């Protein structure tokens, strides 16, 4: 089994560079055929009428070359770890991405923990107490999370908990007057602990709760519906009745026998949800002024910052591929009977 797993992982890793190249090619072509002119992000409106300035800008940023030339040059630079220079920030895109990515990762990991715990718990309760008040309440709560637009939910909860009741802080990763700790991992909750600043750790954790809950609630509904449907089917099987007949307690029956058999399809949803949130947390980051990849992508799209757009797409694609690989590996851990193709 270990040899099969090793060969499977190696095959996936060998195929990954070709998949990434496909993502790079598609992103490059899409940004190149857009009607927008990237010169508007480089040259001011007054200088656009100056042919010499426009020509110099095109030559500097390689916009005077043909599409195949630019593609070959970009792929060659990418192999050396160079994603190009942002039109807006004038910094290397790789540097911008590495600065922004930890903030998004911290938010999404917290959101997935909240969403997974909520989704699995609600699904189990709804299935075990089928057609009762608990079932209906769990389903309504999950339905709200998956159907209400994120921007409306975020603004509403931000107003209630931060402005009206004042129990949670406002936007941002930390208080405006607080001093950031030395950046080691980029995760504020970890960096504050590494710096030994416990009050600042709780400050960062307190700021993380609301945006992570908003983002996690959006996936909790999907997870809970899947868990409920699978739990209802599994709880009616013979091996569940056999376990009860042998005197197994209800908690053991639900967690060890029923819930474990629902984990393979549940892991699928959790894995795809994690990849989706990493690239789809734009609205949440915008509402809560979270300096992550989502807000960076929005700024890049507004300014037609093609290098930044392609860089964000590549990072999102790589994370999606890695997440799928880890999800497939988790299948085998959750259910050793799963065959690897």
């Amino acid at each position: 089994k270990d040899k099969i797993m090793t060969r499977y992982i190696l095959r996936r890793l060998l195929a990954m560079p070709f998949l990434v190249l496909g993502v790079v090619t598609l992103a490059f072509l899409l940004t190149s055929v857009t009607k927008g002119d990237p010169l508007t992000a480089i040259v001011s409106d007054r200088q656009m009428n100056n042919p010499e300035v426009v020509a110099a800008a095109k030559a500097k940023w390689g916009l005077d070359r043909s599409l195949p030339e630019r593609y070959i040059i970009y792929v060659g630079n990418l192999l050396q770890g160079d994603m190009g220079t942002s039109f807006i920030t004038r910094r290397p895109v790789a540097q911008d991405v590495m600065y922004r990515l930890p903030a998004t990762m911290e938010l999404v990991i917290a959101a997935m923990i909240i969403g997974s715990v909520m989704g699995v718990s609600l699904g189990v309760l709804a299935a075990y107490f089928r057609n009762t008040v608990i079932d209906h309440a769990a389903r309504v709560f999950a339905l709200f999370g998956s159907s209400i637009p994120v921007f409306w939910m975020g603004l509403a909860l931000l107003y209630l908990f931060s402005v009206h009741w004042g129990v949670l802080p406002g936007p941002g990763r930390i208080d405006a007057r607080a001093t950031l700790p030395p950046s080691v991992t980029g995760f504020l909750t970890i960096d504050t602990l590494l710096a030994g600043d416990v009050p600042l750790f709780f400050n960062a954790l307190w700021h993380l709760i609301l945006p992570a809950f908003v983002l996690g609630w959006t996936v909790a509904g999907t997870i809970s519906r899947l868990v409920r449907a699978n739990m209802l089917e599994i709880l009616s099987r013979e091996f569940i009745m056999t376990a009860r007949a042998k005197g197994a307690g209800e908690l053991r029956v639900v967690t060890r026998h029923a819930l474990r058999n629902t984990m393979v399809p549940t892991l699928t949803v959790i894995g795809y949800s994690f990849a989706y949130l990493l690239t789809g947390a734009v609205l949440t980051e915008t509402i809560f002024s979270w300096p992550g990849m989502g807000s960076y992508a929005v700024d890049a799209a507004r300014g037609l910052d093609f290098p930044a757009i392609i860089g964000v797409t590549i990072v999102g694609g790589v994370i999606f591929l890695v997440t799928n690989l880890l999800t497939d590996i988790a299948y085998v851990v959750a259910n050793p009977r799963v065959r690897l193709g």
Side-chain angles (χ1 to χ4, degrees):
K1 190 73 176 182
D2 293 338
K3 292 182 179 180
I4 296 175
M5 171 72 78
T6 303
R7 287 199 299 266
Y8 175 76
I9 295 173
L10 288 176
R11 287 202 305 269
R12 292 289 295 270
L13 291 176
L14 289 174
M16 197 169 293
F18 299 99
L19 296 173
V20 173
L21 181 62
V23 172
V24 172
T25 303
L26 185 61
F28 189 88
L29 291 176
L30 288 176
T31 54
S32 299
V33 300
T34 184
K35 294 182 180 180
D37 187 0
L39 283 175
T40 57
I42 304 171
V43 181
S44 64
D45 294 336
R46 290 185 301 177
Q47 294 177 323
M48 285 293 289
N49 296 324
N50 189 329
E52 294 181 357
V53 174
V54 172
K58 286 184 176 181
K60 178 180 178 181
W61 297 96
L63 298 175
D64 57 340
R65 300 175 182 270
S66 64
L67 183 61
E69 285 181 305
R70 281 186 287 153
Y71 174 74
I72 293 173
I73 292 172
Y74 184 81
V75 173
N77 292 335
L78 191 62
L79 291 175
Q80 302 175 31
D82 182 6
M83 292 184 177
T85 303
S86 170
F87 294 162
I88 298 176
T89 66
R90 300 296 195 271
R91 291 191 301 267
V93 173
Q95 179 181 331
D96 286 342
V97 169
M98 291 306 297
Y99 174 77
R100 298 271 193 157
L101 184 59
T104 298
M105 289 289 291
E106 184 176 41
L107 174 61
V108 171
I109 290 173
M112 282 309 305
I113 292 173
I114 293 174
S116 299
V117 172
M118 278 201 307
V120 172
S121 301
L122 291 173
V124 170
L125 288 173
Y128 190 78
F129 297 100
R130 182 181 182 182
N131 295 328
T132 65
V133 176
I134 295 177
D135 180 19
H136 298 317
R139 294 166 67 184
V140 169
F141 182 81
L143 179 63
F144 264 79
S146 57
S147 60
I148 295 178
V150 175
F151 69 89
W152 189 92
M153 186 194 308
L155 290 173
L157 294 182
L158 188 61
Y159 170 76
L160 288 175
F161 287 94
S162 180
V163 178
H164 187 66
W165 294 325
V167 295
L168 289 174
R173 298 182 72 190
I174 206 168
D175 287 347
R177 296 181 179 180
T179 302
L180 290 173
S183 181
V184 179
T185 64
F187 289 64
L188 275 184
T189 50
I190 297 177
D191 288 345
T192 51
L193 289 177
L194 292 176
D197 195 335
V198 177
L200 195 59
F201 163 76
F202 284 106
N203 188 300
L205 184 63
W206 216 234
H207 277 79
L208 182 61
I209 291 175
L210 195 55
F213 177 80
V214 170
L215 205 57
W217 197 2
T218 61
V219 299
T222 305
I223 295 173
S224 67
R225 288 198 299 271
L226 179 66
V227 171
R228 180 183 183 275
N230 287 323
M231 284 285 292
L232 287 175
E233 193 268 331
I234 290 173
L235 285 173
S236 62
R237 290 186 180 179
E238 291 184 0
F239 73 90
I240 296 294
M241 291 184 284
T242 302
R244 284 172 171 162
K246 290 181 177 180
E250 284 299 298
L251 182 61
R252 182 182 178 85
V253 169
V254 172
T255 57
R256 290 288 300 276
H257 297 282
L259 182 59
R260 185 174 182 178
N261 284 275
T262 68
M263 289 312 297
V264 171
T266 304
L267 285 172
T268 306
V269 175
I270 292 175
Y272 280 107
S273 297
F274 183 82
Y276 160 75
L277 291 183
L278 276 171
T279 55
V282 177
L283 292 176
T284 305
E285 290 187 358
T286 303
I287 292 170
F288 290 93
S289 299
W290 202 264
M293 290 281 288
S295 56
Y296 182 66
V298 170
D299 294 338
R302 286 174 180 170
L304 294 177
D305 190 350
F306 289 171
I309 294 172
I310 299 174
V312 171
T313 305
I314 292 172
V315 172
V318 170
I319 292 174
F320 190 84
L321 294 172
V322 172
T323 303
N324 284 343
L325 175 60
L326 295 177
T327 302
D328 291 343
I329 295 173
Y331 288 165
V332 182
V333 176
N335 188 350
R337 292 173 297 177
V338 173
R339 295 183 60 186
L340 296 174

